Amino acid sequence: MSGGAGVYGEAGAGPDNPPVVVLISADPRTSHRANEALRIGLGITAGDNEVCFVLTGPAAHLLDGDTDDLVDGDDIARFRANVKELGVPFHVEKTAIPDDPDWNAEGHEVIPVTHERIAELVRQGRRFLVF
Amino acid sequence: MDLAKKKLGLLLSTGLEHPNLETAVGLSEAALARGADLYLYLIDDGVRALGDPRVRALAGRGARLFVCAYGCQKRRIPLEDADTVTYCGLVVLTDLINGTDRFIALN
């Protein structure tokens, strides 16, 4: 357990804690914020927290096979590879998954989810980061 | 509700032009006025809020002010040698997420 901010108290972390939900709807084709959200979520995951990534709408393009057309595409490729190494799945809004056969060419674990399921995931979280 | 010594974490990731800044400043001032411990983390475009005098003044009132060093680097914002600002990475943000009583992200 790290203590860089010196704030540990009654709400301390632990493996039994509910996840931090990182919900991304920013479009990585037009905004750097989708990549930033991925980076932040990855950083939180590295701190021994369970993180639940939820991609809605155009954020599903974070898993595009070709990252050349994405803002900060090289970073996205690197960060999502790290997410894959950690075995953290992406919950992706079912209706937002692109038809492109090259989508998720790297074979990241993807869990297609409905709007109702996304609402459940959010209810189960203890902290929320929405981009 | 007694907020004295309660820990409030605030994350701000938007820039000076975004209304989130007003929200962050307002929440911060209210929390400090009620005796809460305030931890403000500026990230992404939020690092530019360091240029807002109201944000600077929060540190003088007891807030802990953290700024994403990576975000500053990407925007070529020079790091200051200031006692009131801590440049840091996501480990500290994780600490805030885990260790505060309430955590609000303004994205």
Side-chain angles (χ1 to χ4, degrees), chain A residues 55 59-65 80 90 92 102-105 108 110:
Chain A
L55 310 183
H61 287 284
L62 275 169
L63 295 178
D64 280 359
R80 71 187 187 189
F90 289 98
V92 184
D102 199 33
W103 184 79
N104 193 23
H108 297 269
V110 166

Side-chain angles (χ1 to χ4, degrees), chain A residues 26-61:
Chain A
D27 189 342
R29 296 168 300 182
T30 58
S31 168
H32 74 280
R33 291 176 64 78
N35 172 57
E36 182 68 356
L38 186 61
R39 184 183 78 88
I40 292 170
L42 178 63
I44 297 168
T45 304
D48 285 341
N49 291 280
E50 186 181 340
V51 171
C52 176
F53 284 101
V54 181
L55 310 183
T56 68
H61 287 284

Side-chain angles (χ1 to χ4, degrees), chain A residues 60-117:
Chain A
H61 287 284
L62 275 169
L63 295 178
D64 280 359
D66 185 357
T67 57
D68 287 348
D69 291 333
L70 305 181
V71 181
D72 296 331
D74 289 345
D75 287 342
I76 288 172
R78 187 159 47 96
F79 293 145
R80 71 187 187 189
N82 291 339
V83 171
K84 185 180 182 185
E85 279 179 20
L86 291 167
V88 177
F90 289 98
H91 297 77
V92 184
E93 181 185 357
K94 196 178 288 186
T95 57
I97 294 176
D99 293 332
D100 183 352
D102 199 33
W103 184 79
N104 193 23
E106 294 169 352
H108 297 269
E109 184 181 351
V110 166
I111 303 174
V113 287
T114 62
H115 288 152
E116 291 76 15
R117 180 60 183 145

